[in-house]
């Protein structure tokens, strides 16, 4: 078995699946939010286009009304003053004519030079009246046009308000959707952060697992070398004990050759015992797996790379 045989693939696959589901749900929330924002942006553009299409004036309607009324009033008063002057002139001329008719030419001694001068100015006065009348008509025409423009602006504003009123309920729904999406996004983000932490911890654990596995390979190799060293020492001691045992057998054999024939057997029966044979045996056999030199070299290289990184 290798390192990868001990990886919990089911847990990793489950974590991956849950993370992908959360990411997919967040993508759906993001897509829906973008669609809602796009709708709002389109409505804002429509509102801006309606608002920008409205006719604008350099002055307010109230100011225009006051100034226009004042101009009309000034022109009307001026025309009234001129007409009053003409009426007085007419009365004066009528009075002079009556006097002239009631008197003879020799008796008529009234100075009418002023009346003649005023009479000569009547065409000019009439031209001024004509200009004033044209001015009043021009002001009236401008007021008429301005009223039409105001009516157009009013219609545009009514359309804008109608559009806003039509969209208000939909906008309220979108705003509520955005609020609920925000809450759901926060909840899902917390869940995703939990999966991310779990994934991070899992990666850290498998990193340590991988590092420990490489240390395990090196440890097994070390134990094999130590076991081999112990075996060599045990073999050396076993050989020495065997030599000591043989030497003791020779010594006892010589003893019996020299003195045995003269000693009764029941005098010391144990003197005939063979020397004790001491043996060195392992109390258990090692079950460590065999590790190739290539695997040990790879483990050392990877641990060295991890320390450098």
């Amino acid at each position: 078995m290798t390192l990868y045989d001990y990886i919990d693939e089911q847990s990793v696959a489950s974590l991956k699946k849950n993370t992908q589901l959360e990411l997919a749900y967040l993508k759906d929330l993001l897509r829906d939010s973008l669609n809602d924002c796009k709708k709002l942006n389109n409505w804002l553009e429509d509102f801006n286009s309606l608002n920008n299409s409205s006719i604008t004036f350099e002055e307010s309607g109230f100011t225009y009304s006051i100034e226009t009324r004042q101009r009309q009033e000034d022109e009307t008063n001026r025309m009234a003053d001129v007409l009053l002057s003409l009426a007085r002139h007419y009365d004066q001329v009528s009075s002079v004519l009556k006097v002239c008719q009631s008197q003879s030419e020799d008796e008529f001694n009234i100075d009418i030079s002023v009346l003649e001068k005023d009479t000569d100015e009547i065409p000019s006065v009439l031209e001024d009246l004509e200009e004033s009348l044209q001015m009043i008509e021009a002001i009236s025409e401008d007021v008429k046009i301005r009223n039409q423009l105001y009516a157009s602006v009013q219609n545009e504003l009514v359309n804008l308000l109608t559009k806003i009123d039509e969209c208000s309920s939909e906008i309220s729904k979108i705003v509520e959707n955005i609020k609920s999406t925000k809450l759901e996004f926060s909840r899902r983000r917390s869940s995703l952060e939990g999966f991310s932490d779990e994934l991070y911890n899992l990666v850290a654990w498998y990193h340590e697992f991988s590092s420990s596995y490489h240390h395990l390979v090196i440890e097994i190799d070390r134990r094999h070398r130590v076991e081999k060293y112990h075996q060599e020492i045990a073999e050396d001691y076993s050989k020495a004990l065997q030599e000591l045992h043989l030497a003791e057998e020779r010594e006892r054999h010589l003893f019996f050759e020299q003195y045995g024939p003269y000693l009764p057997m029941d005098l010391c029966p144990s003197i005939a015992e063979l020397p004790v044979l001491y043996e060195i045996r392992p109390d258990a056999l090692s079950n460590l797996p065999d590790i190739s030199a290539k695997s040990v070299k790879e483990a050392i290289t990877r641990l060295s790379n991890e320390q450098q990184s």
Side-chain angles (χ1 to χ4, degrees):
M1 298 181 70
T2 63
L3 170 65
Y4 297 101
D5 295 325
Y6 291 93
I7 295 178
D8 189 356
E9 294 183 1
Q10 185 175 359
S11 297
V12 175
S14 177
L15 180 60
K16 178 181 178 182
K17 181 180 179 181
N18 292 333
T19 304
Q20 289 176 340
L21 289 175
E22 290 297 326
L23 286 174
Y25 191 84
L26 288 177
K27 288 180 180 179
D28 292 339
L29 289 178
L30 179 61
R31 185 188 65 250
D32 294 340
S33 297
L34 290 176
N35 290 334
D36 290 338
C37 291
K38 186 176 181 180
K39 289 181 181 178
L40 288 176
N41 186 61
N42 291 336
W43 283 331
L44 288 176
E45 289 180 354
D46 292 340
F47 296 155
N48 289 331
S49 63
L50 290 174
N51 187 35
N52 293 332
S53 65
S54 299
I55 301 172
T56 57
F57 303 96
E58 296 180 356
E59 55 187 353
S60 66
F62 178 77
T63 302
Y64 173 79
S65 299
I66 296 298
E67 292 179 352
T68 302
R69 184 179 63 81
Q70 187 63 45
R71 288 169 58 197
Q72 284 183 322
E73 185 176 344
D74 292 342
E75 290 296 329
T76 302
N77 290 334
R78 194 166 70 84
M79 290 180 67
D81 292 339
V82 172
L83 290 174
L84 287 175
S85 296
L86 287 175
R88 286 195 297 270
H89 178 71
Y90 175 77
D91 291 339
Q92 291 174 358
V93 171
S94 297
S95 298
V96 170
L97 288 175
K98 289 179 180 180
V99 172
C100 182
Q101 290 175 355
S102 63
Q103 295 179 358
S104 63
E105 185 177 350
D106 294 334
E107 294 176 343
F108 186 77
N109 58 358
I110 299 175
D111 185 8
I112 60 173
S113 59
V114 175
L115 291 176
E116 290 176 346
K117 181 179 179 181
D118 291 341
T119 302
D120 292 338
E121 292 179 355
I122 287 177
S124 177
V125 171
L126 292 177
E127 289 180 0
D128 291 341
L129 288 174
E130 183 68 23
E131 291 178 358
S132 296
L133 181 60
Q134 291 176 356
M135 178 67 70
I136 291 175
E137 290 177 348
I139 293 174
S140 298
E141 184 65 23
D142 184 65
V143 170
K144 181 179 179 181
I145 295 173
R146 185 63 69 99
N147 286 335
Q148 292 176 351
L149 294 177
Y150 284 154
S152 177
V153 171
Q154 182 182 12
N155 291 333
E156 291 180 357
L157 292 177
V158 169
N159 292 334
L160 177 60
L161 293 175
T162 302
K163 183 72 173 178
I164 293 175
D165 184 63
E166 291 175 352
C167 298
S168 59
S169 59
E170 190 68 22
I171 291 175
S172 299
K173 292 180 181 178
I174 290 178
V175 171
E176 291 300 323
N177 288 338
I178 292 176
K179 289 181 180 179
S180 61
T181 299
K182 180 181 179 181
L183 294 176
E184 183 66 15
F185 186 85
S186 299
R187 189 180 69 83
R188 294 284 180 168
R189 184 181 62 181
S190 299
S191 178
L192 185 61
E193 288 176 352
F195 288 137
S196 298
D197 292 339
E198 186 177 351
L199 183 61
Y200 175 80
N201 294 332
L202 191 62
V203 170
W205 190 89
Y206 277 118
H207 175 76
E208 294 298 329
F209 178 49
S210 175
S211 177
S212 299
Y213 177 82
H214 298 318
H215 281 289
L216 174 64
V217 171
I218 295 174
E219 176 65 14
I220 292 175
D221 178 69
R222 185 193 68 81
R223 292 189 183 187
H224 276 306
R225 288 185 283 105
V226 170
E227 183 178 1
K228 182 179 179 181
Y229 176 67
H230 288 178
Q231 287 176 352
E232 291 175 353
I233 293 177
E235 289 175 357
D236 291 340
Y237 278 109
S238 295
K239 184 178 180 181
L241 289 173
Q242 185 69 26
E243 291 176 353
L244 290 174
H245 180 74
L246 293 175
E248 178 62 18
E249 282 185 341
R250 287 194 297 271
E251 287 293 329
R252 293 188 182 191
H253 182 70
L254 290 175
F255 175 81
F256 275 105
E257 285 183 349
Q258 293 179 5
Y259 307 107
Y262 308 105
L263 295 173
M265 294 299 296
D266 57 353
L267 179 63
C268 183
S270 59
I271 197 65
E273 294 177 353
L274 295 175
V276 178
L277 178 61
Y278 291 93
E279 296 180 351
I280 299 177
R281 295 190 304 272
D283 58 353
L285 296 177
S286 175
N287 294 319
L288 289 174
D290 293 331
I291 301 295
S292 65
K294 180 181 179 182
S295 298
V296 175
K297 184 177 179 180
E298 289 179 353
I300 294 174
T301 301
R302 291 184 179 181
L303 289 176
S304 177
N305 293 335
E306 289 179 1
Q307 292 177 354
Q308 292 178 0
S309 60

